[in-house]
Amino acid sequence: MLRTLSGRLAAAMLVLILVISVIFVGLSLFVTRLHFQEVNQSLGRTLAADVVSGTPWLMRGHDVNQDAFKDAFDRLMEINPSIEIYLLDPEGHIMAFSAPPGRVKRESVGLEPVEDFLSGDRPFPIRGDDPRDPERAKVFSAAPLLSNNELQGYLYVVLGGEEHDSVVELFQTSFVMRLGAGLAIAAVAFSLLVGFLSFSLLTRRLRDLTRVMDTFRASDMREPAALRPWRHQGGDEIDRLGETFEHMSERIAAQIGQLREADESRRELMANISHDLRTPMASLQGYLETLQIKDDSLSPEERRHYLELSTKHSHHLSRLTDELFQLARLDQPNPSLESEPFSVAELAHDVAQKFRLEVEQRGLNMETEIPVDAPFVSGDIGLIERVFDNLIDNAIKYTAPGGTLRLALTPKDGMVEATIADTGCGIPEADQPHIFERFYRVKRRAGPPAEGTGLGLAIAKRILELHGSPLSVKSAPGVGATFTFQLPASAA
Ligand code: ADP
């Protein structure tokens, strides 16, 4: 039980209550006793003086009148059997006493408390020596015995007789004390019970939270913790702890998911890279070896053919490594962009010019719609040129002869929108969400596969991402494809 928080809290409370109870009982007994003595002494304050005034012949000169003393003692015993009376001489020596012989253990009584009592300067209770017990002091009443105004001694009345001396004795003899003790024990037991219940109630949410944490850990931190809805409404520390843990677990689960995904895509990427590098390299190697081995037996045409194929594969390899290198640079945590204002219209004209020959060779038409007054845009001109290159290169690749390419710039709302459209084979709807993924290539049934690495669009998208612009595509198979992106007009 001490292993749970509520158990520990309850044990701490038990110890606290016991300590407080012991202190409280001790203090109560002490105060009760003092109060009892004070009341006793106040009630018996005039007792000795009354005896002296009622029995003036207690002393005969310097001697004790034993008969009168016995008479006075008998009378007092009738009124209160628990008192003891003593006759003291002016120095405090006991001259006569009422107790049975042998019970009196002292020969004299200290006079200081007696004088204090008579002066009335000290508050009650004033305790004086108990003649029956040298170790003990008791409350008393005292009166001087005067004869012709000369002090003959004192009448010393010990009040309360056999007073309760120990706690055990007090409990044994007092019903009220026993009742009080019983009630106190019942109150402690009740408080403990209430304490246990309230601690277990207060720590219930902590137990729930621990359970949720265990579940989260058991799920290998994949399933975010879900607390009950009402937890969010409260505002105490446990609620906040729960909410914070919930957010934290969501974050951890999401990050772990991302890490797994990243790890998976990294593996996939590595597999793709090695596959895409291995294929052209193996072909290149094969053609070169053929050229080397069959050098004498090859006709000039065959040799040219093998050399052409080798060159094609080496171009492909060089393009692939170039694109991989480009992607790796763009994937750095903080890729350096050389952002500056530039004329996107001029850039678009240059790119169109660059591709014009290839467009013509493929039997395609190219339309441009580039306003002369298009505003400057802000960005890395080298990288944006790469975006245009990749998109126009694709448009050329995937459009059959006779088709049309369109390159347009449209200024709108502080941005310049660039559109690269073609009337080519288009992209099937199911493939459209994936074409920007690395190494993703649409599998086409008809015609020979167009040359490519599957990295062109991924690079274009990453570049535009770094410029804060999305790259969107609209396409219908057989109709064509239109790629659009926007660049912010430069303030300069
Ligand atoms: P690739 O080097 O294969 O062209 P990309 O990343 O540039 O790689 O393009 C990915 C895929 O998207 C291509 O395999 C192609 O099928 C498709 N695609 C890209 N642009 C066009 C386009 N203009 N028309 C039709 N399909 C396109």
Side-chain angles (χ1 to χ4, degrees):
M1 187 184 150
L2 278 181
R3 292 179 60 188
T4 62
L5 180 63
S6 61
R8 283 185 191 153
L9 283 173
M13 193 187 76
L14 176 69
V15 172
L16 199 69
I17 288 184
L18 285 179
V19 170
I20 291 175
S21 306
V22 168
I23 293 174
F24 182 72
V25 167
L27 275 176
S28 308
L29 285 176
F30 177 70
V31 172
T32 309
R33 255 170 97 172
L34 276 185
H35 181 65
F36 173 75
Q37 289 171 352
E38 183 190 12
V39 170
N40 204 6
Q41 198 164 35
S42 299
L43 290 174
R45 172 200 283 267
T46 57
L47 199 61
D50 291 346
V51 173
V52 171
S53 63
T55 324
W57 55 89
L58 264 176
M59 295 292 288
R60 268 200 218 112
H62 288 289
D63 296 324
V64 179
N65 181 347
Q66 291 292 348
D67 292 337
F69 184 73
K70 180 138 190 346
D71 187 44
F73 171 67
D74 288 344
R75 265 191 294 124
L76 279 177
M77 278 297 283
E78 272 170 33
I79 304 165
N80 185 349
S82 67
I83 61 169
E84 301 150 25
I85 59 174
Y86 300 87
L87 265 183
L88 310 178
D89 73 5
E91 276 76 44
H93 293 109
I94 299 171
M95 295 189 291
F97 51 82
S98 60
R103 293 287 302 272
V104 176
K105 303 279 169 30
R106 282 176 176 272
E107 286 185 354
S108 63
V109 168
L111 287 183
E112 204 181 314
V114 176
E115 280 157 9
D116 282 344
F117 178 87
L118 293 175
S119 71
D121 290 343
R122 243 176 78 184
F124 288 165
I126 302 170
R127 286 178 299 170
D129 292 338
D130 178 5
R132 289 193 187 192
D133 187 344
E135 304 295 315
R136 212 162 51 173
K138 283 189 167 181
V139 286
F140 62 91
S141 172
L145 295 170
L146 301 169
S147 172
N148 296 329
N149 276 340
E150 198 186 323
L151 182 70
Q152 301 298 328
Y154 299 97
L155 183 70
Y156 186 70
V157 181
V158 175
L159 302 166
E162 307 288 330
E163 212 179 81
H164 308 292
D165 294 319
S166 72
V167 176
V168 179
E169 201 189 333
L170 180 66
F171 280 114
Q172 278 169 352
T173 51
S174 165
F175 167 73
V176 175
M177 288 307 280
R178 279 203 303 278
L179 182 73
L183 285 176
I185 290 170
V188 167
F190 181 69
S191 323
L192 272 178
L193 186 73
V194 172
F196 275 130
L197 286 178
S198 42
F199 283 147
S200 106
L201 226 96
L202 283 175
T203 53
R204 203 181 64 185
R205 286 175 302 149
L206 272 181
R207 283 199 299 278
D208 280 358
L209 192 57
T210 318
R211 237 189 329 270
V212 169
M213 282 178 174
D214 286 343
T215 319
F216 177 58
R217 204 178 41 189
S219 77
D220 216 8
M221 302 194 182
R222 285 180 207 214
E223 298 294 323
L227 295 174
R228 283 192 231 145
W230 59 267
R231 299 252 183 275
H232 302 284
Q233 290 156 17
D236 69 3
E237 290 85 344
I238 300 179
D239 288 327
R240 288 209 292 280
L241 193 68
E243 243 179 301
T244 310
F245 176 71
E246 201 177 52
H247 289 153
M248 205 176 71
S249 70
E250 275 166 15
R251 192 80 181 265
I252 291 175
Q255 281 181 351
I256 284 188
Q258 278 169 6
L259 279 180
R260 277 179 216 280
E261 265 173 37
D263 192 46
E264 235 161 73
S265 67
R266 190 185 53 84
R267 276 170 215 271
E268 210 174 298
L269 198 69
M270 286 309 291
N272 283 331
I273 291 174
S274 34
H275 172 264
D276 279 45
L277 283 176
R278 209 171 329 120
T279 318
M281 245 169 21
S283 313
L284 185 61
Q285 205 176 341
Y287 294 130
L288 289 177
E289 275 171 7
T290 313
L291 278 171
Q292 207 177 21
I293 296 164
K294 298 186 179 172
D295 189 27
D296 301 335
S297 58
L298 288 177
S299 67
E301 288 76 38
E302 282 174 324
R303 189 172 291 128
R304 201 173 47 247
H305 177 65
Y306 283 132
L307 280 172
E308 265 171 20
L309 285 173
S310 302
T311 315
K312 193 182 113 193
H313 284 297
S314 87
H315 275 313
H316 182 76
L317 261 179
S318 118
R319 181 171 172 180
L320 188 64
T321 45
D322 168 59
E323 288 184 339
L324 281 172
F325 180 66
Q326 178 83 32
L327 261 181
R329 268 203 350 204
L330 294 170
D331 276 344
Q332 279 172 4
N334 291 312
S336 56
L337 287 190
E338 282 165 28
S339 228
E340 56 179 347
F342 65 90
S343 162
V344 65
E346 219 170 284
L347 177 67
H349 274 301
D350 289 351
V351 175
Q353 197 55 41
K354 187 162 65 181
F355 281 97
R356 198 159 292 280
L357 186 64
E358 193 180 344
V359 167
E360 279 167 13
Q361 278 172 353
R362 293 244 188 173
L364 301 167
N365 307 307
M366 173 127 80
E367 292 171 0
T368 52
E369 228 173 274
I370 304 168
V372 249
D373 57 348
F376 272 41
V377 296
S378 168
D380 186 319
I381 186 166
L383 293 179
I384 298 298
E385 182 176 357
R386 181 94 192 208
V387 174
F388 278 114
D389 284 353
N390 288 4
L391 293 176
I392 295 176
D393 189 48
N394 278 348
I396 296 173
K397 259 192 316 195
Y398 298 105
T399 307
T404 306
L405 268 58
R406 207 174 125 256
L407 171 59
L409 292 183
T410 325
K412 57 168 151 181
D413 305 332
M415 309 287 277
V416 177
E417 188 174 81
T419 310
I420 294 97
D422 61 63
T423 56
C425 60
I427 305 160
E429 208 165 318
D431 291 300
Q432 288 179 21
H434 303 291
I435 53 170
F436 300 107
E437 289 168 14
R438 288 163 196 205
F439 290 106
Y440 189 87
R441 307 200 67 211
V442 178
K443 291 184 183 66
R444 311 220 179 246
R445 282 192 213 115
E451 266 195 27
T453 57
L455 292 174
L457 286 182
I459 292 175
K461 183 175 180 250
R462 178 71 185 133
I463 292 175
L464 289 169
E465 224 169 56
L466 295 173
H467 284 81
S469 163
L471 173 59
S472 58
V473 61
K474 273 196 189 129
S475 176
V479 178
T482 305
F483 288 86
T484 318
F485 64 90
Q486 294 187 333
L487 290 171
S490 158

